[in-house]
Structures are given as C-alpha cells and as structure tokens.
C-alpha cells in the first residue's frame, strides 16, 4: 500500500470516528473536527543535524533545533496541542551538505530519512526538501520524492545567495510541482546581511528579517510573472509574508490584479493562531486560502485547538469556514482525499 493510500485510509478513519466530518453535530461540537498543521519541522536523528557553537544563535532557537531532532516530542505534540496530523519538513538551512556531497545526494538523503519517519506514524506526512536553486537536479528529486516516497509537496527556501525563488534556476522545480499537481511551500530564511548590518541578533530580530525575505519572495513571484507562466502552480507561504499580502491585496501598491493572482496561487498559514491575523488574511485571500500552520516547534507550548476555536469565534466564522481552515483546504491542496 502506498503512502497516498495510507493517507486516504487514515482520513476515512477520522471521518468514521467523528474527527473530521461536517455533520450537524459538528456545528455544536468544538472538539470533534480534524486539524491538519501543514507547517511543522523535523530533523530526524539519522540526519545528524549539527548544533551551532554556543552563543551563535539565540538560546530560544538552539532549544527549537533540539526539539526538531526528537521524534518523540513531535509525536507527543499532536495530542498535546489537539492536532490530528502534521505535514512535516526538514529545513535545508539546518542541514548543510556533508563533505563532498552533491545537491542530488543531499536532497535524497534528507527526503529518504523524512519519509522513513512518516512511515512510523500515519499522522505524519512529508514535504520533499528541494534545493530549488539547483535547477533540473531539484526538479528530478521532486519527481522521485512524490512518485517513490509519497511526499505530498515541495519545501523550498525563499532565497539563496542573493536570489529569490522567482530566479530562473528555480523554475524547473516550480514547473515540475505544477505538472505533478503538488504545492510548493516557500519557506522564510535568515537574512544574515541585515542582521550583521544592524546588529540584529535577538530571536525577534531574526524573525523580522525572515519576514522581509519571504515578503520579497512573494512580491517578486507576482511582479515577475512566475504565476502567469505557470497557471497550475500552487504555493504556500508563512504569514510572515503579511506585508506582501497586505500590500498586494489591500494597498494596491503592486500589480492591479495582485489580489486575484494570490487568490489563485497562494495559500498561507496561521502562525501564532490569532484572530487578528487570521481575519486580516481572510480579508485579502479569503478563507479558502488559509490553512492551520503553526511553525512547530518554533511556536508551541499552547493548545492549537483551543486557540484556533477562539480565533474563529473572534472572526465570526461559521462551521464551514472553520473547517476549511482547519482541514478542508489542506486536504484539497495536498491531495489527501484522493488515491
């Protein structure tokens, strides 16, 4: 049985047990609906992710990397936070190549390891870590990861060495994802130049730098016509890209059709799971383009379910809107309801 068949069987189990349906009882039960967290990180021990020397990173980030490397903490987080499934990824930022290792072998090693972790628990699904800036090599690894490993999408860096994801080198990966019908999660990366120039070393500062990069990446995808050239491409962004989303959708400071482009091609997460943020995103993109995504374990230590219920109440969402964000959009985007 393939991973895709396993995923479908697991959805059916959830539905039959009352964890994912949209029955009349769901309208009065806040505890029985499925939550899929599509933005979660893992660094399985077999990858031997290196820890940076003490003092290089903020203490909070060092602890986050340690948690990423503990599969048991990942499994425990599901029940602890009220999440039914996590779609996990292994950030390339945290996994430098081994001495002499080629991009193809590095990606293959990471994806094989993440896929093996997912095989241990049907609640875990994997995104393929792809070096999109490696040209055709990245595209071929994405094909392999989807066809052979059952990965449900691609995980790429928003920028690399002065290039954004809209760069020509990344086009083969984006085109392959569009052809395969799988989404591309364009993830924030650190902007070390910004940090060094202004001595921005706190965890808060790092996140602001990452927000700037991912916003620039989204804006450039729109402005340079990547979405126009790839009409079937679907991308996911962290809500750290909020400045680009608001600028393109509300302030009209970019292409006049930027909002329409985003509503066709862009999905966004709910990092922090706060009503104010989710309302702003829904105003621009619509609830059909928002998915629960927590950036676990960067943002953790709270009940995702409780906070999500509260946020939906603050936004005035009905059951349909709530379920779209909680699981419906993710099921559709990641092809979880089909063989």
């Amino acid at each position: 049985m393939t991973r895709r068949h396993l995923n479908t069987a697991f959805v059916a189990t959830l539905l039959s047990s009352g964890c994912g349906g949209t029955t009349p009882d769901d309208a009065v039960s806040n505890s029985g609906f499925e939550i899929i967290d599509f933005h979660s990180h893992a660094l399985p021990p077999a990858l031997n992710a290196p820890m940076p020397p003490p003092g290089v990173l903020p203490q909070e980030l060092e602890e986050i990397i340690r948690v990423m490397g503990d599969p048991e903490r990942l499994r425990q987080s599901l029940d602890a936070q009220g999440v039914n499934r996590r779609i996990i990824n292994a950030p390339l930022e945290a996994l430098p190549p081994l001495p002499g290792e080629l991009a193809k072998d590095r990606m293959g090693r990471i994806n094989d390891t993440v896929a093996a972790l997912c095989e241990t628990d049907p609640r875990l699904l994997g995104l393929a870590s792809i070096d999109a800036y490696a040209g055709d090599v990245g595209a071929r690894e994405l094909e392999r990861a989807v066809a052979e490993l059952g990965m449900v999408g691609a995980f790429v860096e928003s920028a690399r060495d002065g290039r954004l994801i809209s760069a020509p080198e990344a086009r083969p990966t984006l085109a392959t994802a569009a052809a395969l019908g799988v989404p591309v999660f364009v993830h924030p990366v650190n902007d070390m130049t910004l940090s060094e120039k202004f001595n921005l070393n706190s965890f808060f500062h790092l996140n602001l730098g990452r927000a700037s990069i991912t916003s620039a990446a989204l804006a450039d995808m729109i402005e340079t016509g990547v979405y126009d050239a790839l009409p079937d491409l679907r991308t996911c962004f962290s809500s750290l890209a909020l400045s680009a989303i608001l600028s393109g959708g509300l302030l009209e400071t970019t292409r006049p059709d930027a909002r329409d482009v985003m509503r066709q091609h862009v999905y966004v997460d709910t990092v922090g799971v706060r009503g104010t943020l989710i309302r702003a995103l829904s105003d621009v993109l619509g609830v059909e383009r928002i998915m629960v995504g927590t950036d676990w374990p960067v943002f953790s230590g709270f009940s995702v379910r409780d906070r999500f219920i509260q946020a939906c109440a603050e936004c005035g969402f009905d059951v349909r809107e709530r379920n779209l964000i909680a699981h419906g959009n993710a099921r559709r985007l990641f092809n979880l309801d089909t063989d």
Side-chain angles (χ1 to χ4, degrees):
M1 181 178 287
T2 66
R3 281 290 298 175
R4 183 62 52 78
H5 283 95
L6 285 170
N7 296 339
T8 303
F10 186 62
V11 171
T13 301
L14 285 168
L15 290 171
S16 65
S17 64
C19 291
T22 55
T23 64
D25 288 342
D26 204 23
V28 294
S29 173
N30 278 328
S31 61
F33 63 95
E34 180 190 18
I35 293 181
I36 300 174
D37 184 350
F38 92 94
H39 186 174
S40 301
H41 303 294
L43 298 171
L47 291 176
N48 294 315
M51 284 296 298
V56 171
L57 295 175
Q59 185 175 356
E60 303 97 321
L61 194 52
E62 289 185 3
E63 176 60 21
I64 286 166
I65 293 175
R66 291 190 186 93
V67 174
M68 286 185 194
D70 187 344
E72 188 56 32
R73 296 280 291 273
L74 171 63
R75 296 186 188 98
Q76 291 172 355
S77 73
L78 290 156
D79 291 335
Q81 293 194 291
V83 173
N84 297 94
R85 285 187 285 179
R86 290 195 187 279
I87 299 177
I88 62 174
N89 62 73
L92 292 176
E93 275 187 294
L95 295 166
L98 301 175
E101 187 175 42
L102 300 176
K104 171 183 177 295
D105 298 324
R106 178 192 181 203
M107 288 185 284
R109 172 172 60 90
I110 294 170
N111 293 328
D112 288 346
T113 304
V114 171
L117 174 59
C118 291
E119 290 289 350
T120 68
D121 193 324
R123 299 174 299 173
L124 302 178
L125 307 170
L127 295 179
S129 296
I130 300 297
D131 181 355
Y133 304 92
D136 291 335
V137 174
R140 288 195 294 270
E141 172 58 20
L142 177 58
E143 289 179 338
R144 184 191 79 91
V146 171
E148 298 181 14
L149 303 179
M151 298 293 203
V152 296
F155 181 78
V156 306
E157 296 171 311
S158 56
R160 167 86 68 78
D161 298 330
R163 296 165 294 172
L164 295 170
I165 193 61
S166 51
E169 297 92 330
R171 190 62 64 88
T173 291
L174 300 180
T176 297
L180 292 172
V182 298
V184 178
F185 187 2
V186 183
H187 195 260
V189 294
N190 285 334
D191 182 356
M192 299 312 297
T193 301
L194 185 65
S195 299
E196 293 171 2
K197 182 176 182 180
F198 296 104
N199 193 29
L200 306 178
N201 296 318
S202 75
F203 189 43
F204 183 38
H205 284 140
L206 285 176
N207 273 311
L208 289 176
R210 296 170 76 84
S212 298
I213 290 295
T214 194
S215 290
L218 173 54
D220 214 51
M221 290 278 283
I222 298 171
E223 291 283 2
T224 60
V226 173
Y227 293 124
D228 301 311
L230 299 172
D232 294 326
L233 178 63
R234 300 294 180 267
T235 54
C236 308
F237 280 82
S238 166
S239 53
L240 288 180
L242 185 63
S243 62
I245 294 170
L246 294 181
S247 294
L250 295 179
L251 304 180
E252 298 180 352
T253 57
T254 183
R255 285 175 43 162
D257 63 343
R259 182 174 181 175
D260 293 335
V261 171
M262 287 191 291
R263 286 195 169 203
Q264 181 178 352
H265 296 278
V266 175
Y267 290 75
V268 67
D269 69 16
T270 60
V271 166
V273 197
R274 297 294 189 183
T276 301
L277 174 64
I278 295 173
R279 169 53 71 192
L281 296 172
S282 67
D283 284 346
V284 178
L285 301 177
V287 295
E288 296 80 8
R289 291 295 181 268
I290 305 172
M291 301 182 294
V292 170
T294 64
D295 199 5
W296 186 92
V298 179
F299 295 94
S300 57
F302 59 88
S303 169
V304 173
R305 184 170 297 272
D306 290 348
R307 191 173 286 188
F308 179 68
I309 290 170
Q310 177 62 34
C312 288
E314 293 172 2
C315 294
F317 291 152
D318 59 24
V319 171
R320 183 193 71 86
E321 293 168 321
R322 182 202 69 187
N323 285 350
L324 281 174
I325 298 172
H327 58 257
N329 295 331
R331 285 187 191 170
R332 182 181 68 253
L333 181 64
F334 293 101
N335 302 306
L336 302 184
D337 286 339
T338 59
D339 293 344

